[in-house]
Amino acid sequence: MAEKSFKYVILGGGVAAGYAAREFVNQGVKFGELAIISKEAVAPYERPALSKAYLFPESPARLPGFHTCVGSGGERLLPEWYAEKGISLILGTEIVKADIGSKTLISAAGEIFKYHILVIATGSTVIRLTDFGVQGADSKNIFYLREVDDADKLVEAIKAKKNGKAVIVGGGYIGLELSAVMKINNLDVSMVYPEPWCMPRLFTAGIAAFYEGYYANKGIQIIKGTVAVGFNADADGEVKEVKLKDGRVLEADIVVVGVGGRPLTVLFKGQVEEEKGGIKTDSFFRTSVPDVYAVGDVATFPMKIYNEMRRVEHVDHSRKSAEHAVKAIFASEAGKSVDDYDYLPYFYSRSFNLSWQFYGDNVGDTVLFGDNNPASENPKFGSYWIKDGKVVGAFLESGTPEENKAIAKVARVQPQAESLEQLAKEGLTFACKI
Ligand code: FDA
Ligand code: NAD
């Protein structure tokens, strides 16, 4: 089969790829030099839309409406943009073998791609209940959500099972966002997760209590402290029941599973150094192998602010890491250098009329402030994390843009906190005066 050769190849066509492409153009990439190879059939898009507006019953978001780089307020890069810039979008093409020694990628159809510089941007894949051998987990109408194809299948099922019952397995990001959007679609929703409160990776018990109360008030049934151990299906193979470890059985027409993701590093196993489950990079996103970079969900990079190697599975970092890597590539070609990547963690989520942002590190003591009564008309509350007397993390629900900027600044500046009591009393005022 014919071989194609490019100066630069981005492997993966997700968020990081889109933002990298824009930066390649900013840096003056020449016509024909860059290719993006993606398993997906569409140009890079803002993945967060899939668990939110894509699933709305009224005026849902659809491509080409949310191609990158609209998510951060930039120009939307339509497929025509790539063509105009001479960037080859090689879509619907899964790479099944990577040989870093010979700088070669091979697709499932046997096409061969050569590169001089490779940017690995393969993102994450979902963890499946079938991976743990959960009985009946391959029944029809059990869904996972990662790519636009997955979202399309879910949209079809929502239409087919009007006013039916949905069970959401997992209490993390997917669990919380999908429970909300399924409820908005008028399904009867139950959520199941093993922990004592939702989103335990980030939320304190106090933060979680608000969302659990709010969801319960919307009519979502929350079942904590247990897991799905099996599924019963009807004669057509469609899921009908979810069996829980505590013996309960839930009726279900649709099941959505969000039990975590796993970075897609498998093509490079044994070829690049790994750390903490991701591909190890330096602060320019260079891997252990020359001419190979890794960005987005797959990269384990030096988080300068905490002097620690970390991996981040959120959209803001995927955008910024991609831009930083491309700047570093061009600087290095010009015999120059760029500053170290100095990232302040930023995560957010939206569901119903709620919207929260978090900046910094969720370690140390915590204080909760504001009105976190889920029954309030306009709840607004937050939390600070305090380590060694300094405020290192801040969370805010329903903040204004200025207030969100203020909590971001707190997390970056890490001001001293007089006492936890004082912080709790001052609440948002503390952030706004920094
Ligand atoms: P991303 O997953 O975007 O892209 C990887 C691409 O590589 C995909 O196109 C994939 O098909 C392709 N690929 C993988 N292996 C390949 C192979 N072998 N050959 C060819 N192509 C291959 N974050 C946040 O901060 N706020 C939010 O609200 C959300 N919401 C959200 C919703 C949903 C449904 C998901 C799944 C995720 C989020 N996220 C989020 C997380 C965020 O979307 C995620 O961190 C970024 O998309 C990561 O960007 P990457 O480019 O690294 O991977
Ligand atoms: P997650 O890690 O946020 O949450 C997984 C949840 O599933 C946890 O609560 C976990 O304890 C629970 N769980 C684990 N095993 C279980 C089991 N057997 N039964 C029931 N629950 C179980 O992962 P996710 O929600 O699946 O999200 C996947 C990826 O998508 C992550 O990378 C996430 O960052 C990303 N994402 C991010 C956002 C956002 O930032 N707003 C939104 C959606 C998705």
Side-chain angles (χ1 to χ4, degrees), residues 33-67:
E33 283 185 335
L34 173 63
I36 294 176
I37 305 176
S38 179
K39 182 159 71 63
E40 290 187 87
V42 294
Y45 59 88
E46 303 286 357
R47 196 164 306 286
L50 296 184
S51 52
K52 305 174 188 70
Y54 201 87
L55 302 175
F56 286 175
E58 306 286 331
S59 323
R62 284 292 176 270
L63 290 171
F66 59 99
H67 280 298

Short mmCIF file of all heavy atoms in Angstrom, two decimals, residues 33-67:
data_model
loop_
_atom_site.label_atom_id
_atom_site.label_comp_id
_atom_site.label_asym_id
_atom_site.label_seq_id
_atom_site.Cartn_x
_atom_site.Cartn_y
_atom_site.Cartn_z
N GLU A 33 2.59 20.14 5.15
CA GLU A 33 3.53 19.61 6.15
C GLU A 33 2.85 18.85 7.28
O GLU A 33 3.48 18.01 7.92
CB GLU A 33 4.33 20.76 6.79
CG GLU A 33 5.45 21.29 5.91
CD GLU A 33 6.31 22.34 6.62
OE1 GLU A 33 5.84 23.01 7.56
OE2 GLU A 33 7.47 22.49 6.20
N LEU A 34 1.57 19.19 7.56
CA LEU A 34 0.91 18.64 8.76
C LEU A 34 -0.26 17.72 8.41
O LEU A 34 -1.07 18.04 7.54
CB LEU A 34 0.40 19.81 9.63
CG LEU A 34 -0.47 19.47 10.85
CD1 LEU A 34 0.32 18.64 11.88
CD2 LEU A 34 -1.02 20.73 11.51
N ALA A 35 -0.33 16.60 9.14
CA ALA A 35 -1.50 15.72 9.01
C ALA A 35 -2.05 15.41 10.39
O ALA A 35 -1.30 15.31 11.37
CB ALA A 35 -1.12 14.42 8.31
N ILE A 36 -3.38 15.28 10.46
CA ILE A 36 -4.05 14.80 11.68
C ILE A 36 -4.67 13.46 11.31
O ILE A 36 -5.43 13.37 10.34
CB ILE A 36 -5.14 15.78 12.14
CG1 ILE A 36 -4.51 17.10 12.59
CG2 ILE A 36 -5.99 15.16 13.25
CD1 ILE A 36 -5.53 18.17 12.96
N ILE A 37 -4.33 12.43 12.06
CA ILE A 37 -4.91 11.11 11.79
C ILE A 37 -5.88 10.79 12.92
O ILE A 37 -5.48 10.76 14.09
CB ILE A 37 -3.83 10.02 11.70
CG1 ILE A 37 -2.77 10.40 10.66
CG2 ILE A 37 -4.46 8.67 11.37
CD1 ILE A 37 -1.61 9.41 10.56
N SER A 38 -7.15 10.56 12.58
CA SER A 38 -8.14 10.32 13.62
C SER A 38 -9.06 9.15 13.30
O SER A 38 -9.52 9.00 12.18
CB SER A 38 -8.99 11.57 13.84
OG SER A 38 -9.95 11.31 14.84
N LYS A 39 -9.31 8.39 14.32
CA LYS A 39 -10.27 7.29 14.25
C LYS A 39 -11.68 7.83 14.00
O LYS A 39 -12.50 7.18 13.37
CB LYS A 39 -10.21 6.58 15.61
CG LYS A 39 -11.05 5.39 15.83
CD LYS A 39 -10.45 4.57 16.98
CE LYS A 39 -10.60 5.20 18.37
NZ LYS A 39 -11.99 5.38 18.82
N GLU A 40 -11.95 9.01 14.51
CA GLU A 40 -13.29 9.59 14.34
C GLU A 40 -13.47 10.07 12.90
O GLU A 40 -12.50 10.43 12.23
CB GLU A 40 -13.52 10.73 15.32
CG GLU A 40 -13.66 10.23 16.75
CD GLU A 40 -14.04 11.33 17.72
OE1 GLU A 40 -15.24 11.57 17.87
OE2 GLU A 40 -13.14 11.93 18.33
N ALA A 41 -14.74 10.15 12.47
CA ALA A 41 -15.02 10.50 11.08
C ALA A 41 -15.17 12.00 10.88
O ALA A 41 -15.42 12.45 9.76
CB ALA A 41 -16.31 9.79 10.64
N VAL A 42 -15.03 12.77 11.95
CA VAL A 42 -15.26 14.22 11.87
C VAL A 42 -14.03 14.98 12.34
O VAL A 42 -13.20 14.46 13.09
CB VAL A 42 -16.47 14.63 12.74
CG1 VAL A 42 -17.76 14.05 12.18
CG2 VAL A 42 -16.29 14.20 14.19
N ALA A 43 -13.95 16.24 11.88
CA ALA A 43 -12.83 17.10 12.28
C ALA A 43 -12.90 17.36 13.79
O ALA A 43 -13.96 17.23 14.39
CB ALA A 43 -12.92 18.42 11.51
N PRO A 44 -11.76 17.74 14.40
CA PRO A 44 -11.73 17.96 15.85
C PRO A 44 -12.86 18.86 16.34
O PRO A 44 -13.21 19.86 15.70
CB PRO A 44 -10.37 18.64 16.06
CG PRO A 44 -9.51 18.07 14.98
CD PRO A 44 -10.42 17.93 13.79
N TYR A 45 -13.43 18.46 17.48
CA TYR A 45 -14.55 19.23 18.05
C TYR A 45 -14.39 19.32 19.57
O TYR A 45 -13.56 18.62 20.16
CB TYR A 45 -15.88 18.57 17.67
CG TYR A 45 -16.02 17.14 18.13
CD1 TYR A 45 -16.52 16.84 19.40
CD2 TYR A 45 -15.62 16.08 17.32
CE1 TYR A 45 -16.63 15.53 19.83
CE2 TYR A 45 -15.71 14.76 17.75
CZ TYR A 45 -16.22 14.50 19.01
OH TYR A 45 -16.31 13.20 19.45
N GLU A 46 -15.23 20.17 20.15
CA GLU A 46 -15.19 20.40 21.59
C GLU A 46 -15.94 19.27 22.28
O GLU A 46 -17.17 19.30 22.39
CB GLU A 46 -15.80 21.77 21.93
CG GLU A 46 -15.13 22.95 21.24
CD GLU A 46 -13.77 23.33 21.82
OE1 GLU A 46 -13.33 22.70 22.81
OE2 GLU A 46 -13.14 24.26 21.27
N ARG A 47 -15.20 18.28 22.76
CA ARG A 47 -15.81 17.07 23.32
C ARG A 47 -16.80 17.34 24.46
O ARG A 47 -17.82 16.64 24.58
CB ARG A 47 -14.68 16.13 23.79
CG ARG A 47 -15.11 14.71 24.05
CD ARG A 47 -13.92 13.74 24.13
NE ARG A 47 -13.03 13.78 22.99
CZ ARG A 47 -13.30 13.26 21.80
NH1 ARG A 47 -14.44 12.63 21.60
NH2 ARG A 47 -12.44 13.35 20.81
N PRO A 48 -16.56 18.34 25.33
CA PRO A 48 -17.50 18.56 26.44
C PRO A 48 -18.95 18.74 26.01
O PRO A 48 -19.88 18.46 26.78
CB PRO A 48 -16.96 19.83 27.12
CG PRO A 48 -15.48 19.76 26.88
CD PRO A 48 -15.36 19.21 25.47
N ALA A 49 -19.19 19.18 24.79
CA ALA A 49 -20.58 19.38 24.34
C ALA A 49 -21.37 18.08 24.33
O ALA A 49 -22.60 18.08 24.45
CB ALA A 49 -20.58 20.00 22.94
N LEU A 50 -20.67 16.95 24.19
CA LEU A 50 -21.37 15.67 24.02
C LEU A 50 -22.23 15.28 25.22
O LEU A 50 -23.23 14.60 25.07
CB LEU A 50 -20.37 14.54 23.74
CG LEU A 50 -19.56 14.63 22.45
CD1 LEU A 50 -18.70 13.39 22.30
CD2 LEU A 50 -20.48 14.78 21.23
N SER A 51 -21.80 15.69 26.42
CA SER A 51 -22.56 15.29 27.62
C SER A 51 -23.50 16.40 28.07
O SER A 51 -24.10 16.31 29.12
CB SER A 51 -21.60 14.93 28.75
OG SER A 51 -20.67 15.98 28.95
N LYS A 52 -23.57 17.45 27.26
CA LYS A 52 -24.40 18.59 27.65
C LYS A 52 -25.35 18.93 26.49
O LYS A 52 -26.29 18.18 26.24
CB LYS A 52 -23.49 19.78 28.04
CG LYS A 52 -22.47 19.39 29.12
CD LYS A 52 -21.50 20.49 29.41
CE LYS A 52 -20.39 20.02 30.34
NZ LYS A 52 -19.43 19.07 29.74
N ALA A 53 -25.09 20.02 25.75
CA ALA A 53 -26.06 20.50 24.76
C ALA A 53 -26.34 19.49 23.64
O ALA A 53 -27.41 19.55 23.02
CB ALA A 53 -25.57 21.83 24.17
N TYR A 54 -25.43 18.57 23.37
CA TYR A 54 -25.66 17.57 22.31
C TYR A 54 -26.89 16.72 22.63
O TYR A 54 -27.57 16.23 21.74
CB TYR A 54 -24.43 16.67 22.14
CG TYR A 54 -24.38 16.00 20.79
CD1 TYR A 54 -23.79 16.63 19.70
CD2 TYR A 54 -24.91 14.72 20.59
CE1 TYR A 54 -23.74 16.03 18.45
CE2 TYR A 54 -24.85 14.11 19.34
CZ TYR A 54 -24.28 14.77 18.27
OH TYR A 54 -24.22 14.18 17.04
N LEU A 55 -27.17 16.56 23.93
CA LEU A 55 -28.25 15.66 24.35
C LEU A 55 -29.52 16.41 24.75
O LEU A 55 -30.47 15.80 25.24
CB LEU A 55 -27.75 14.78 25.51
CG LEU A 55 -26.51 13.92 25.19
CD1 LEU A 55 -26.02 13.18 26.42
CD2 LEU A 55 -26.81 12.91 24.08
N PHE A 56 -29.56 17.72 24.52
CA PHE A 56 -30.77 18.47 24.87
C PHE A 56 -31.92 18.06 23.96
O PHE A 56 -31.74 17.85 22.77
CB PHE A 56 -30.54 19.99 24.70
CG PHE A 56 -29.69 20.61 25.78
CD1 PHE A 56 -29.31 21.95 25.69
CD2 PHE A 56 -29.27 19.88 26.88
CE1 PHE A 56 -28.53 22.54 26.67
CE2 PHE A 56 -28.48 20.47 27.87
CZ PHE A 56 -28.12 21.80 27.77
N PRO A 57 -33.15 17.99 24.54
CA PRO A 57 -34.31 17.65 23.70
C PRO A 57 -34.66 18.78 22.72
O PRO A 57 -35.16 18.53 21.64
CB PRO A 57 -35.44 17.43 24.71
CG PRO A 57 -34.98 18.02 26.00
CD PRO A 57 -33.50 18.10 25.97
N GLU A 58 -34.41 20.04 23.13
CA GLU A 58 -34.73 21.19 22.27
C GLU A 58 -33.44 21.78 21.73
O GLU A 58 -32.49 21.98 22.50
CB GLU A 58 -35.43 22.29 23.09
CG GLU A 58 -36.66 21.84 23.85
CD GLU A 58 -37.85 21.59 22.94
OE1 GLU A 58 -37.93 22.25 21.89
OE2 GLU A 58 -38.68 20.72 23.28
N SER A 59 -33.41 22.13 20.45
CA SER A 59 -32.25 22.76 19.79
C SER A 59 -30.91 22.19 20.24
O SER A 59 -30.07 22.91 20.76
CB SER A 59 -32.21 24.27 20.04
OG SER A 59 -33.47 24.82 20.05
N PRO A 60 -30.73 20.89 20.07
CA PRO A 60 -29.45 20.32 20.51
C PRO A 60 -28.28 20.82 19.68
O PRO A 60 -28.46 21.19 18.51
CB PRO A 60 -29.65 18.81 20.29
CG PRO A 60 -30.70 18.71 19.24
CD PRO A 60 -31.61 19.89 19.44
N ALA A 61 -27.10 20.87 20.28
CA ALA A 61 -25.89 21.22 19.54
C ALA A 61 -25.58 20.10 18.55
O ALA A 61 -25.75 18.93 18.86
CB ALA A 61 -24.72 21.37 20.51
N ARG A 62 -25.17 20.49 17.35
CA ARG A 62 -24.76 19.49 16.35
C ARG A 62 -23.55 20.03 15.60
O ARG A 62 -23.42 21.25 15.43
CB ARG A 62 -25.89 19.24 15.33
CG ARG A 62 -27.04 18.38 15.85
CD ARG A 62 -26.60 16.92 16.08
NE ARG A 62 -27.68 16.12 16.66
CZ ARG A 62 -27.90 15.97 17.98
NH1 ARG A 62 -27.12 16.57 18.86
NH2 ARG A 62 -28.87 15.21 18.42
N LEU A 63 -22.72 19.12 15.12
CA LEU A 63 -21.62 19.56 14.25
C LEU A 63 -22.23 20.05 12.95
O LEU A 63 -23.28 19.54 12.55
CB LEU A 63 -20.65 18.39 13.99
CG LEU A 63 -19.84 18.00 15.23
CD1 LEU A 63 -19.05 16.72 14.97
CD2 LEU A 63 -18.89 19.12 15.65
N PRO A 64 -21.69 21.09 12.31
CA PRO A 64 -20.37 21.67 12.59
C PRO A 64 -20.37 22.76 13.65
O PRO A 64 -19.38 23.48 13.77
CB PRO A 64 -19.98 22.25 11.23
CG PRO A 64 -21.30 22.69 10.64
CD PRO A 64 -22.31 21.68 11.11
N GLY A 65 -21.45 22.87 14.47
CA GLY A 65 -21.56 24.00 15.39
C GLY A 65 -20.49 24.08 16.46
O GLY A 65 -20.21 25.16 16.96
N PHE A 66 -19.89 22.92 16.84
CA PHE A 66 -18.96 23.00 17.96
C PHE A 66 -17.58 22.39 17.65
O PHE A 66 -16.95 21.76 18.49
CB PHE A 66 -19.57 22.39 19.24
CG PHE A 66 -19.99 20.95 19.12
CD1 PHE A 66 -19.17 19.93 19.60
CD2 PHE A 66 -21.21 20.60 18.54
CE1 PHE A 66 -19.55 18.60 19.52
CE2 PHE A 66 -21.60 19.26 18.45
CZ PHE A 66 -20.76 18.27 18.94
N HIS A 67 -17.16 22.60 16.41
CA HIS A 67 -15.77 22.23 16.10
C HIS A 67 -14.83 23.11 16.92
O HIS A 67 -15.18 24.25 17.28
CB HIS A 67 -15.48 22.43 14.61
CG HIS A 67 -15.98 21.30 13.76
ND1 HIS A 67 -15.53 20.01 13.89
CD2 HIS A 67 -16.89 21.27 12.75
CE1 HIS A 67 -16.14 19.23 13.02
NE2 HIS A 67 -16.98 19.96 12.31
#
